[in-house]
Amino acid sequence: MEVIIRPDAAIAASMTAELVAQAIRIKPQLVLGLATGRTMETVYNHLVEKHQKVNLDFSLCRSFNLDEYIGLSPESPHSYRYYMNYHLFKKVNIDIRNTHLPDGSAKDIEAECKKYEDTIKECGGVDIQLLGIGRSGHIGFNEPLSALYSRTRAKALTPTTIAQNSPLFPKPEDMPKRAITMGVGTILDAKRIIMLVTGKEKAEILAKAVEGPVTSMVSASALQLHPKCTVIADEAAAELLKEKEYYHWIFKNEPEWESFR
Ligand code: GLP
């Protein structure tokens, strides 16, 4: 794992977008693993801008999102499908048929999860997976105690996650209590991972994920097992990291992310 600390959230997001853009330029038919949440909005704004200003070409890209709420139709303005269409897909030249999210309104959730895993495999696996982190330590919606080998499945959301995301719904009680999510094992299968973490409210969980033990109590700690994982944090989120000086030194002298291609 490489930890890169940037001065603020805007610079951290712009670096994340640039790494994704570089990967698309190198491999136009990139399989992108995408995340939702407030942190990612700035990254998608940058990618849209790169498409508009420097012709970043998404036409051959395929994408798989991490998760979707159960019980919301893709048309619901609170679904992650809607979020992705709004923030990225409708603003760049990706073929919408090549964009994938689990269907939270599927009648047979188990079959939907299996189909999702199969489609990822058929596409040759995820090349680069973008991640945020929830305050419960989740990646996707892998709440505490998610098996480190877990695959795409339904998960019950924790009170911490419900408190974090329910303000995004018209009434907090409208937020679904379950979601389909790629498993921790599914995420770790990606060839490369970039996790973006900003803001002081994420400092405590980031320290546990990066410097704590690998434990299913903090799903993001499983990223320590991945050979090509870059964590990009702003100073506020990095506040509680004990080895900050070391991470800065590596970034300046021996940056690994440049070779993660
Ligand atoms: C949701 C998503 C996660 C995301 C998290 C962070 O819970 N399921 O994939 O990482 O939000 O959200 P935010 O960026 O709004 O803090």
Side-chain angles (χ1 to χ4, degrees):
M1 178 183 277
E2 180 174 28
V3 180
I4 297 174
I5 303 169
R6 306 308 294 137
D8 60 41
I11 298 173
S14 128
M15 178 175 187
T16 305
E18 185 46 35
L19 293 184
V20 174
Q22 275 176 17
I24 297 175
R25 285 186 208 111
I26 292 168
K27 182 178 177 187
Q29 58 283 74
L30 200 75
V31 180
L32 277 162
L34 299 174
T36 50
R38 285 155 280 209
T39 315
M40 287 301 148
E41 289 178 19
T42 332
V43 175
Y44 297 144
N45 291 345
H46 281 293
L47 290 175
V48 169
E49 198 177 289
K50 287 175 194 295
H51 169 66
Q52 290 166 345
K53 296 201 174 142
V54 293
N55 285 330
L56 182 65
D57 183 10
F58 291 81
S59 63
L60 299 176
C61 291
R62 287 152 299 165
S63 74
F64 288 89
N65 265 77
L66 287 166
D67 45 17
E68 180 60 283
Y69 290 112
I70 292 180
L72 296 188
S73 75
E75 294 77 36
S76 161
H78 305 293
S79 70
Y80 283 162
R81 163 54 79 181
Y82 188 96
Y83 170 109
M84 288 310 303
N85 286 351
Y86 177 79
H87 289 288
L88 186 67
F89 299 155
K90 286 194 170 165
K91 296 177 177 164
V92 297
N93 65 337
I94 197 163
D95 183 338
I96 204 81
R97 291 168 302 183
N98 289 335
T99 66
H100 303 273
L101 280 94
D103 180 357
S105 65
K107 284 212 174 60
D108 184 341
I109 295 291
E110 215 173 300
E112 175 63 18
C113 295
K114 186 177 177 313
K115 192 175 91 189
Y116 204 63
E117 286 276 334
D118 291 345
T119 318
I120 296 174
K121 270 193 210 102
E122 277 158 27
C123 284
V126 170
D127 287 308
I128 183 162
Q129 176 68 57
L130 274 184
L131 295 176
I133 189 171
R135 273 178 237 164
S136 66
H138 70 213
I139 44 177
F141 270 132
N142 290 287
E143 299 288 36
L145 286 181
S146 288
L148 300 183
Y149 287 137
S150 52
R151 311 301 305 183
T152 302
R153 71 220 184 286
K155 272 307 275 183
L157 304 176
T158 58
T160 308
T161 298
I162 294 170
Q164 188 187 334
N165 289 3
S166 60
L168 301 172
F169 288 77
K171 285 184 272 144
E173 59 271 27
D174 290 346
M175 181 178 156
K177 308 291 181 287
R178 297 172 76 229
I180 296 179
T181 179
M182 279 187 197
V184 180
T186 319
I187 294 170
L188 291 179
D189 280 350
K191 295 172 189 98
R192 181 180 174 187
I193 295 179
I194 300 176
M195 182 164 79
L196 173 63
V197 187
T198 59
K200 64 174 178 354
E201 60 287 352
K202 299 278 178 72
E204 204 176 321
I205 198 66
L206 181 65
K208 285 186 184 163
V210 169
E211 295 178 339
V214 174
T215 165
S216 64
M217 288 306 291
V218 180
S219 295
S221 68
L223 299 174
Q224 295 173 31
L225 302 171
H226 195 280
K228 289 185 178 178
C229 177
T230 308
V231 174
I232 303 179
D234 66 353
E235 282 286 358
E239 180 68 29
L240 299 177
L241 294 175
K242 291 198 187 79
E243 300 296 336
K244 268 201 304 190
E245 289 318 308
Y246 171 57
Y247 309 141
H248 278 303
W249 187 90
I250 290 278
F251 182 61
K252 207 167 151 216
N253 298 288
E254 294 287 337
E256 286 176 6
W257 58 275
E258 290 182 337
S259 63
F260 285 176
R261 290 194 172 152

